[in-house]
Amino acid sequence: MSRGDSLVGFAVVRNVKGKDQPITFLVATDTTDRLRDVDILVYREPYGGEVAYDAWRRQFRGKSADDALQVGRDIRTISGATISVNAVTLGVKRALSDLTAWHRSGGLH
């Protein structure tokens, strides 16, 4: 991601499996490998869509690949959305780890 001629970060779009359907999400980091934002792009399940609410996604901001991101400890659960919360959290953790590894290896610049 860039703003004008300045690099401001990196982003990746991924899918995780919800209860029955994929959940498509975006993870964006800054140039210091801190998570800038998570956005749920497509939520297909009839229940658990609260994972798309900013109030829930906001808790990921500022996290790094070194953070545990454990549901129930670092990441709040949502009643009725257990599968979605666990799936998105694991997906975010993997995407953040991948973006960080790619950036540190020089694969992203």
Side-chain angles (χ1 to χ4, degrees):
M1 300 181 313
S2 62
R3 183 174 293 130
D5 290 337
S6 300
L7 180 66
V8 294
F10 311 98
V12 65
V13 173
R14 296 274 175 91
N15 287 297
V16 290
K17 187 175 186 299
K19 183 175 184 209
D20 297 310
Q21 300 291 319
I23 302 168
T24 305
F25 65 99
L26 176 137
V27 172
T29 61
D30 63 20
T31 57
T32 66
D33 299 320
R34 292 275 174 192
L35 200 142
R36 287 180 60 123
D37 206 357
V38 173
D39 194 9
I40 304 299
L41 302 176
V42 183
Y43 190 84
R44 299 168 180 91
E45 299 285 354
Y47 302 103
E50 296 89 346
V51 295
Y53 295 176
D54 185 63
W56 186 78
R57 294 181 296 109
R58 184 177 336 153
Q59 65 191 321
F60 290 96
R61 294 180 189 150
K63 301 292 186 185
S64 75
D66 296 328
D67 290 308
L69 298 182
Q70 293 180 336
V71 173
R73 297 185 98 175
D74 310 301
I75 303 301
R76 291 186 313 276
T77 60
I78 300 172
S79 180
T82 304
I83 293 170
S84 297
V85 165
N86 283 301
V88 170
T89 300
L90 181 58
V92 167
K93 184 164 179 60
R94 287 179 177 164
L96 183 55
S97 178
D98 288 347
L99 282 170
T100 300
W102 293 332
H103 181 217
R104 290 180 182 170
S105 73
L108 300 174
H109 44 87

